[in-house]
Amino acid sequence: MLLAGKKALVLGVANDHSIAWGITKALKEQGASVAMSYLNDGLKKRVLPLSEEVGADFIFEMDVTQDDHYARMVDMVEKQWGKFDILIHSLAFADRQDLKGRFSETSRAGFALACDISAYSLISLSHSLKPLMNDNASIIAMSYHGSQKVVKNYNIMGVAKAALEASARYLADDLGSDGIRVNTISAGPIKTLSASGISGFRTILKTVEEHAPLKKNVTPEDVGGSAVYLASDLSSGVTGQILYVDSGFSILGLS
Ligand code: 1JT
């Protein structure tokens, strides 16, 4: 098993459709111990049964906008595990009104919120958890190609993901000397709770299925497989990179 003896902290499971859930199952299958966060009491009802299904060591409440949640999380991880090896960042948020219509109408508050939750949290989590990370630790964040090219309606999330990807590179450089690797997975579109109700999302899924080199959409399990590689010592020479898990869609010049 590729992750035997490793401990993985997974942030971003909302339900059994979550990308973070696909990653959690894949890490566990390779022998890792796992712990999962939940955003609030409402989502705890969904995450608790999943944590039992996968045999998680513990779950904890984590809202990345709440300063006091960081110290609580660090205390919990230290008490339960001491040190750990893998951090999965699979969190993002933007106001619904900022994920449609004219990008030029994005508000200052909407910009700040999306970038705070979706990008700054990678920096703050890395900083808080760094003292607990073992040598050869791996941090993995989730992105989408709307960070690099314009995807209609992705709007502020494209900017937030660009900030996330750049933050991952700067963190990779800063934390390299601490033996911590930082990489990003850029996943193709997946129908998760976040994606539900996004205008035009079904059309995006259909376009990928018709035109992507692999002629199918990716699943949370596909993403989980690639996360195992980036979490494991097989990728010991890889940091600061963006790994596309998108059925090849992003290589196309015209679709
Ligand atoms: C957020 C949402 C981040 C949806 C996201 C996301 N990253 C990817 N998606 C799915 C998605 C993909 C495409 C799209 C719209 C959404 C919603 C809540 C906030 C964070 O295009 C319009 C391609």
Side-chain angles (χ1 to χ4, degrees):
M1 291 204 284
L2 291 167
L3 301 174
K6 298 212 190 251
K7 298 183 172 79
L9 207 55
V10 181
L11 284 77
V13 178
N15 61 32
D16 61 344
H17 297 289
S18 295
I19 294 171
W21 175 238
I23 295 174
T24 303
K25 287 185 295 179
L27 297 175
K28 189 73 188 182
E29 265 172 38
Q30 289 299 325
S33 303
V34 298
M36 294 148 70
S37 73
Y38 55 92
L39 174 60
N40 53 36
D41 277 339
L43 284 167
K44 184 179 185 180
K45 289 197 264 302
R46 301 242 185 279
V47 173
L48 184 59
L50 293 174
S51 73
E52 286 165 356
E53 181 182 328
V54 82
D57 288 0
F58 59 97
I59 64 172
F60 58 99
E61 184 180 21
M62 184 67 204
D63 176 340
V64 295
T65 65
Q66 303 298 313
D67 285 336
D68 55 313
H69 284 202
Y70 289 83
R72 249 186 16 199
M73 170 188 67
V74 168
D75 283 351
M76 180 87 161
V77 174
E78 188 164 26
K79 208 160 74 221
Q80 294 277 344
W81 281 346
K83 300 218 167 189
F84 75 105
D85 306 280
I86 300 158
L87 173 64
I88 305 296
H89 180 287
S90 189
L91 318 159
F93 185 78
D95 280 330
R96 257 315 132 86
Q97 75 210 37
D98 291 328
L99 291 165
K100 58 178 178 217
R102 301 198 63 160
F103 178 70
S104 57
E105 290 172 5
T106 306
S107 68
R108 186 192 297 269
F111 180 100
L113 182 69
C115 291
D116 184 28
I117 296 182
S118 312
Y120 180 70
S121 63
L122 182 68
I123 303 171
S124 51
L125 286 163
S126 299
H127 180 251
S128 301
L129 291 165
K130 177 170 106 78
L132 299 183
M133 299 190 90
N134 282 321
D135 206 29
N136 297 320
S138 174
I139 299 175
I140 302 169
M142 295 304 309
S143 193
Y144 173 66
H145 191 54
S147 60
Q148 309 263 351
K149 298 287 180 190
V150 172
V151 175
K152 204 129 219 73
N153 294 326
Y154 199 60
N155 289 10
I156 189 56
M157 274 314 301
V159 175
K161 290 299 192 185
L164 176 76
E165 290 173 6
S167 298
R169 285 189 290 272
Y170 279 91
L171 285 168
D173 182 56
D174 187 25
L175 303 181
S177 53
D178 298 295
I180 301 171
R181 297 184 294 108
V182 186
N183 292 287
T184 307
I185 291 177
S186 187
I190 299 176
K191 197 159 176 10
T192 65
L193 184 63
S194 282
S196 68
I198 303 263
S199 43
F201 194 77
R202 271 185 38 202
T203 313
I204 291 168
L205 290 174
K206 225 179 87 209
T207 304
V208 170
E209 215 173 271
E210 277 176 24
H211 298 283
L214 295 179
K215 302 291 180 277
K216 62 181 182 190
N217 280 290
V218 297
T219 63
E221 288 71 28
D222 293 323
V223 175
S226 293
V228 165
Y229 159 71
L230 286 176
S232 79
D233 296 336
L234 286 181
S235 59
S236 54
V238 180
T239 195
Q241 300 301 311
I242 302 173
L243 177 55
Y244 273 78
V245 181
D246 69 341
S247 298
F249 189 81
S250 61
I251 69 169
L252 299 176
L254 193 69
S255 42

